[in-house]
Amino acid sequence: MKVLKFGGTSVGSPQRMKEVSKLITNGERNIVVLSAMSGTTNSLVEIADYFKKRNFETAHSLINKLRIKYEAHVKDLYSTEAAAQKTTELLDEVFVLLRSFANADFTPSVEKAILAQGEIMSTNMVTNYLEECGVKVRLVSALDYLRIDEDGEPYLSQITAYWEDFLAQNEDIEVFITQGFICRNDNNEIDNLQRGGSDYSACLIGAALKLDEIQIWTDIDGMHNNDPRVVDGTKPVRQLHFEEAAELAYFGAKILHPTCILPARFTGVPVRLLNTMEPEAPGTIINNEMRQGAIKAVAAKDNITAIKIVSSRMLLAKGYLRGIFETFERHNTSIDMVTTSEVGVSLSIDNDTHLHAIVEDLKESGTVIVDKDMCIICVVGDLRSQNVGFESRIASAMCDIPIRMISYGGSEHNISFLIHQDHKKAALQALSRELFSE
Ligand code: ASP
Ligand code: MG
């Protein structure tokens, strides 16, 4: 048994829903996780925002717009009156509920209840369509089995217990449809796994049930070995180790939510990235296999700020770095790259909300130099020290690029360079030429 997750664009129109339904009914008994139709969660965020600002007129007009859109989808999707009727009844309930929030106090839980409606609508629509096609299908509400604690951490064992029971009781069912993204919290209120969280839902189910595979279906053919917007001729990477995928996800390969592969990694369930537009393509498989000596991909992350603290007091001092790190912690800012010398330390951050306060505090420790508009370039692959020679290949590709920081040795899968954003394009192109051209 596998879990198949389809994102917003994959279910973004009635036509796409029909295509997805074909992929789902492949003769296997699978669990299918769906996002909201593309654009819907954004609309719901906007609606919630107008409710929050007590601008009910605009909220209601946006709700009406959404409703008209969904009514048109119903017409296009179903060929029988019964399926159309069943879906219309559900949509009516959703839109009555959305409007009713005008009478409620606006709380975070109201906002989350509003955001949840996109996935509730898309899963009902596809379930009713499959039913109309004669598929033995069951809609399973994520609100019944996916729960998070105060820190947003899911209770994996509850997923296992619920589904094991449910699968045993529904042996005749071929396809189980459920919502990505949405869940409940400890107060039993509707909550969510953060924007883009449907991948995470799928990985949690796959890990909790130790399924054969977690498939993430999107509209691109897997992870590419470089940024296709910047470099021509990039190729999909066929296989990645979980850690390589985690590095790439953080460094802007937006195809996969960074935290989502953790549960899969811990249980060893492979994750496969596939393309709905090209279902036959092999995509990218992410598993625990380490391919010897292979350099897999290059990625970049923009809008990085570099901070250098130089002080002769650092020489032979104890606890100097702790003081620096504590400053960032106090200002709720996480550090990405770190390099040190005897008389200085350089760090990078990707969120400069508290930069001013951080710099003021750091001035007590030394001379502070800030560089904005920087970019991290990372190379991912088998970069164990036994893989001799990769450093010189990478360094020779970067020979014309002014480099501000280099970080290697933090993991066996990554070497990172901090450069100015102006040089990003040249760096990515040179790395592709050196590392990936045949
Ligand atoms: N619908 C949600 C969002 O747009 C979750 C997801 O698509 O993964 O963020
Ligand atoms: Mg998504």
Side-chain angles (χ1 to χ4, degrees), residues 123 142 156 159 177 203 227 231 233 250 262 299 327 338 359 403-404:
T123 48
L156 213 57
I159 303 174
I177 305 272
C203 288
D227 188 340
V231 179
Y250 174 75
L262 286 176
T327 306
V338 186
V359 170
I403 295 169
R404 169 76 164 72

Side-chain angles (χ1 to χ4, degrees), residues 247-248 251 297-300 376-380 414-417 431:
E247 304 271 13
L248 285 175
F251 284 99
V298 175
I376 299 179
I377 303 280
C378 93
V379 180
V380 163
N414 166 307
I415 180 164
S416 294
F417 298 85
L431 284 164

Side-chain angles (χ1 to χ4, degrees), residues 298-337:
V298 175
K301 192 169 170 75
D302 293 320
N303 296 321
I304 304 290
T305 300
I307 303 161
K308 186 183 336 216
I309 307 108
V310 184
S311 168
S312 51
R313 274 186 288 146
M314 190 176 160
L315 199 65
L316 304 176
K318 293 184 186 69
Y320 186 86
L321 284 176
R322 193 194 58 215
I324 304 276
F325 289 144
E326 275 174 358
T327 306
F328 286 82
E329 193 182 337
R330 220 171 30 250
H331 295 292
N332 204 11
T333 299
S334 73
I335 299 168
D336 294 327
M337 279 175 78

